[in-house]
Amino acid sequence: MASDRRKQSLLVFSLIILAIIIDQWIKIAVKTSMSLGEGIMVFGDWFQIRFIENNGMAFGMELFDKFFLTSFRMVAVCFLVYYLIRLLREARHPIGYIICIAMILAGAVGNLIDCLFYGEIFSSSYGQVAEFVPWGEGYATFMNGRVVDMFYFPLFTWPDWVPLIGGDIFFGPVFNFADSCVSCSVIALLIFYRDRFLK
């Protein structure tokens, strides 16, 4: 049983590390090869790599100031680490549920890294391609970095005759791999494990 728990823990934390590495690799590749606002067509108009940065939450939402959001992310990461370790120790939870929590943690850490460090280690992306700079010579201070987003799927535009949303793009937000980890995991939790929240 202890051996099974160790294997499960190794799998889960390996997935977290892999997701964080993928997220950061994509962000650094975009940030060091594209200027802010630049876009690349991948599959016609419906899938683009479009480099933007945001101060806010997932999908560019901005509800609170930057220091609060970064602090909130740090608290959320600490809670998720505690909760995930507890799940792994109890050894009575479905592996799918644990992996969903792990991917939410990975996504939260991925975006937290941007907020904490990117402002310190990158030059500005406005009108130029950013470069690595010595610590403290970047575009912002510690905890005030901007989150790098790049995936854009403007699948279609609503017809003008549709009330309230006519002329708008069906899915307009630009997002990143970390956002995807969080969103897909939350959807999976609601579909497959909602009974755990209703008890």
Side-chain angles (χ1 to χ4, degrees):
M1 184 67 74
S3 175
D4 290 342
R5 278 206 300 266
R6 278 196 296 271
K7 287 179 182 176
Q8 190 177 72
S9 298
L10 180 61
L11 169 66
V12 167
F13 284 105
S14 296
L15 287 173
I16 291 171
I17 292 168
L18 179 62
I20 293 170
I21 289 172
I22 291 171
D23 175 65
Q24 290 299 307
W25 180 81
I26 294 170
K27 288 173 176 175
I28 291 170
V30 166
K31 193 160 178 61
T32 56
S33 61
M34 301 173 69
S35 60
L36 200 62
E38 186 178 350
I40 300 171
M41 300 292 185
V42 180
F43 292 112
D45 292 336
W46 66 271
F47 175 31
Q48 305 171 26
I49 300 297
R50 180 171 293 184
F51 174 28
I52 70 164
E53 293 178 319
N54 76 74
N55 285 318
M57 303 168 71
F59 306 118
M61 293 184 291
E62 295 192 27
L63 303 178
F64 305 100
D65 71 274
K66 184 64 185 182
F67 181 81
F68 176 84
L69 283 173
T70 303
S71 301
F72 175 78
R73 280 191 174 105
M74 292 172 70
V75 171
V77 164
C78 291
F79 169 78
L80 286 167
V81 169
Y82 164 78
Y83 183 55
L84 183 59
I85 290 172
R86 199 181 83 182
L87 291 176
L88 290 167
R89 283 180 176 165
E90 290 174 356
R92 59 182 176 83
H93 303 280
I95 186 64
Y97 179 78
I98 294 172
I99 288 174
C100 286
I101 300 300
M103 289 301 96
I104 293 172
L105 172 59
V109 171
N111 284 335
L112 179 62
I113 290 170
D114 297 26
C115 296
L116 291 176
F117 305 118
Y118 274 29
E120 296 278 10
I121 64 173
F122 283 113
S123 61
S124 173
S125 295
Y126 287 104
Q128 63 182 6
V129 175
E131 298 178 342
F132 283 102
V133 296
W135 179 268
E137 295 183 14
Y139 67 83
T141 56
F142 183 67
M143 293 183 69
N144 286 296
R146 293 185 289 272
V147 176
V148 174
D149 293 325
M150 75 293 295
F151 298 135
Y152 182 44
F153 290 87
L155 300 179
F156 64 86
T157 301
W158 291 102
D160 290 335
W161 53 264
V162 178
L164 302 177
I165 57 174
D168 291 344
I169 294 172
F170 168 69
F171 187 74
V174 182
F175 59 98
N176 59 44
F177 186 79
D179 296 333
S180 300
C181 289
V182 174
S183 300
C184 292
S185 297
V186 168
I187 291 169
L189 286 174
L190 293 174
I191 293 173
F192 300 109
Y193 301 105
R194 62 181 177 274
D195 57 313
R196 303 181 67 85
F197 305 104
L198 299 176
K199 291 179 180 179

PDB file of all heavy atoms in Angstrom, residues 27 35 55 96 98 120-121 142 163 167 176 190:
ATOM      1  N   LYS A  27       5.719  29.934 -23.102  1.00  0.00           N
ATOM      2  CA  LYS A  27       5.714  31.364 -22.788  1.00  0.00           C
ATOM      3  C   LYS A  27       7.049  32.028 -23.125  1.00  0.00           C
ATOM      4  O   LYS A  27       7.083  33.110 -23.721  1.00  0.00           O
ATOM      5  CB  LYS A  27       5.392  31.574 -21.306  1.00  0.00           C
ATOM      6  CG  LYS A  27       3.941  31.293 -20.949  1.00  0.00           C
ATOM      7  CD  LYS A  27       3.734  31.359 -19.450  1.00  0.00           C
ATOM      8  CE  LYS A  27       2.283  31.172 -19.074  1.00  0.00           C
ATOM      9  NZ  LYS A  27       2.090  31.107 -17.610  1.00  0.00           N
ATOM     10  N   SER A  35       6.974  40.258 -30.638  1.00  0.00           N
ATOM     11  CA  SER A  35       6.693  41.498 -29.921  1.00  0.00           C
ATOM     12  C   SER A  35       5.221  41.518 -29.520  1.00  0.00           C
ATOM     13  O   SER A  35       4.396  40.802 -30.089  1.00  0.00           O
ATOM     14  CB  SER A  35       7.026  42.722 -30.784  1.00  0.00           C
ATOM     15  OG  SER A  35       6.261  42.706 -31.966  1.00  0.00           O
ATOM     16  N   ASN A  55      -2.435  41.709 -16.783  1.00  0.00           N
ATOM     17  CA  ASN A  55      -2.185  41.878 -15.349  1.00  0.00           C
ATOM     18  C   ASN A  55      -3.158  41.089 -14.506  1.00  0.00           C
ATOM     19  O   ASN A  55      -3.043  41.062 -13.290  1.00  0.00           O
ATOM     20  CB  ASN A  55      -2.313  43.356 -14.958  1.00  0.00           C
ATOM     21  CG  ASN A  55      -1.127  44.170 -15.415  1.00  0.00           C
ATOM     22  OD1 ASN A  55       0.003  43.723 -15.299  1.00  0.00           O
ATOM     23  ND2 ASN A  55      -1.386  45.351 -15.949  1.00  0.00           N
ATOM     24  N   GLY A  96      -8.248  10.004 -11.047  1.00  0.00           N
ATOM     25  CA  GLY A  96      -8.679  11.079 -11.935  1.00  0.00           C
ATOM     26  C   GLY A  96      -8.935  12.373 -11.182  1.00  0.00           C
ATOM     27  O   GLY A  96      -8.569  13.463 -11.649  1.00  0.00           O
ATOM     28  N   ILE A  98      -7.558  13.241  -8.311  1.00  0.00           N
ATOM     29  CA  ILE A  98      -6.255  13.738  -7.852  1.00  0.00           C
ATOM     30  C   ILE A  98      -5.515  14.438  -8.986  1.00  0.00           C
ATOM     31  O   ILE A  98      -4.907  15.498  -8.795  1.00  0.00           O
ATOM     32  CB  ILE A  98      -5.417  12.575  -7.268  1.00  0.00           C
ATOM     33  CG1 ILE A  98      -6.087  12.047  -5.991  1.00  0.00           C
ATOM     34  CG2 ILE A  98      -3.991  13.030  -6.985  1.00  0.00           C
ATOM     35  CD1 ILE A  98      -5.449  10.788  -5.438  1.00  0.00           C
ATOM     36  N   GLU A 120      11.091  40.914 -13.499  1.00  0.00           N
ATOM     37  CA  GLU A 120      12.472  41.091 -13.057  1.00  0.00           C
ATOM     38  C   GLU A 120      13.502  40.611 -14.083  1.00  0.00           C
ATOM     39  O   GLU A 120      14.619  41.117 -14.115  1.00  0.00           O
ATOM     40  CB  GLU A 120      12.695  40.325 -11.742  1.00  0.00           C
ATOM     41  CG  GLU A 120      11.894  40.826 -10.569  1.00  0.00           C
ATOM     42  CD  GLU A 120      12.537  42.029  -9.890  1.00  0.00           C
ATOM     43  OE1 GLU A 120      13.508  42.586 -10.433  1.00  0.00           O
ATOM     44  OE2 GLU A 120      12.055  42.405  -8.801  1.00  0.00           O
ATOM     45  N   ILE A 121      13.127  39.638 -14.921  1.00  0.00           N
ATOM     46  CA  ILE A 121      14.141  38.992 -15.772  1.00  0.00           C
ATOM     47  C   ILE A 121      13.978  39.259 -17.268  1.00  0.00           C
ATOM     48  O   ILE A 121      14.841  38.865 -18.051  1.00  0.00           O
ATOM     49  CB  ILE A 121      14.161  37.464 -15.542  1.00  0.00           C
ATOM     50  CG1 ILE A 121      12.835  36.818 -15.956  1.00  0.00           C
ATOM     51  CG2 ILE A 121      14.513  37.140 -14.090  1.00  0.00           C
ATOM     52  CD1 ILE A 121      12.845  35.299 -15.918  1.00  0.00           C
ATOM     53  N   PHE A 142       9.347  42.770  -8.551  1.00  0.00           N
ATOM     54  CA  PHE A 142       8.922  41.465  -8.047  1.00  0.00           C
ATOM     55  C   PHE A 142       7.435  41.481  -7.716  1.00  0.00           C
ATOM     56  O   PHE A 142       6.938  42.427  -7.114  1.00  0.00           O
ATOM     57  CB  PHE A 142       9.749  41.122  -6.805  1.00  0.00           C
ATOM     58  CG  PHE A 142       9.471  39.774  -6.230  1.00  0.00           C
ATOM     59  CD1 PHE A 142       9.806  38.616  -6.911  1.00  0.00           C
ATOM     60  CD2 PHE A 142       8.861  39.655  -4.982  1.00  0.00           C
ATOM     61  CE1 PHE A 142       9.539  37.365  -6.369  1.00  0.00           C
ATOM     62  CE2 PHE A 142       8.599  38.422  -4.429  1.00  0.00           C
ATOM     63  CZ  PHE A 142       8.936  37.266  -5.132  1.00  0.00           C
ATOM     64  N   PRO A 163     -29.148  38.984 -30.708  1.00  0.00           N
ATOM     65  CA  PRO A 163     -29.209  40.023 -29.667  1.00  0.00           C
ATOM     66  C   PRO A 163     -27.998  39.994 -28.727  1.00  0.00           C
ATOM     67  O   PRO A 163     -27.495  38.931 -28.374  1.00  0.00           O
ATOM     68  CB  PRO A 163     -30.493  39.676 -28.899  1.00  0.00           C
ATOM     69  CG  PRO A 163     -31.299  38.848 -29.839  1.00  0.00           C
ATOM     70  CD  PRO A 163     -30.311  38.092 -30.679  1.00  0.00           C
ATOM     71  N   GLY A 167     -22.113  40.247 -33.923  1.00  0.00           N
ATOM     72  CA  GLY A 167     -20.869  40.880 -34.359  1.00  0.00           C
ATOM     73  C   GLY A 167     -19.671  40.546 -33.500  1.00  0.00           C
ATOM     74  O   GLY A 167     -18.533  40.852 -33.868  1.00  0.00           O
ATOM     75  N   ASN A 176      -3.340  30.833 -22.168  1.00  0.00           N
ATOM     76  CA  ASN A 176      -2.083  30.092 -22.223  1.00  0.00           C
ATOM     77  C   ASN A 176      -2.282  28.646 -21.757  1.00  0.00           C
ATOM     78  O   ASN A 176      -3.385  28.244 -21.390  1.00  0.00           O
ATOM     79  CB  ASN A 176      -0.998  30.804 -21.397  1.00  0.00           C
ATOM     80  CG  ASN A 176      -1.383  30.973 -19.940  1.00  0.00           C
ATOM     81  OD1 ASN A 176      -1.909  30.057 -19.307  1.00  0.00           O
ATOM     82  ND2 ASN A 176      -1.125  32.150 -19.380  1.00  0.00           N
ATOM     83  N   LEU A 190     -16.316  19.041 -12.628  1.00  0.00           N
ATOM     84  CA  LEU A 190     -17.766  19.278 -12.628  1.00  0.00           C
ATOM     85  C   LEU A 190     -18.518  18.156 -13.339  1.00  0.00           C
ATOM     86  O   LEU A 190     -19.640  17.821 -12.963  1.00  0.00           O
ATOM     87  CB  LEU A 190     -18.076  20.618 -13.297  1.00  0.00           C
ATOM     88  CG  LEU A 190     -17.595  21.859 -12.544  1.00  0.00           C
ATOM     89  CD1 LEU A 190     -17.828  23.122 -13.367  1.00  0.00           C
ATOM     90  CD2 LEU A 190     -18.282  21.976 -11.193  1.00  0.00           C
TER      91      LEU A 190
END
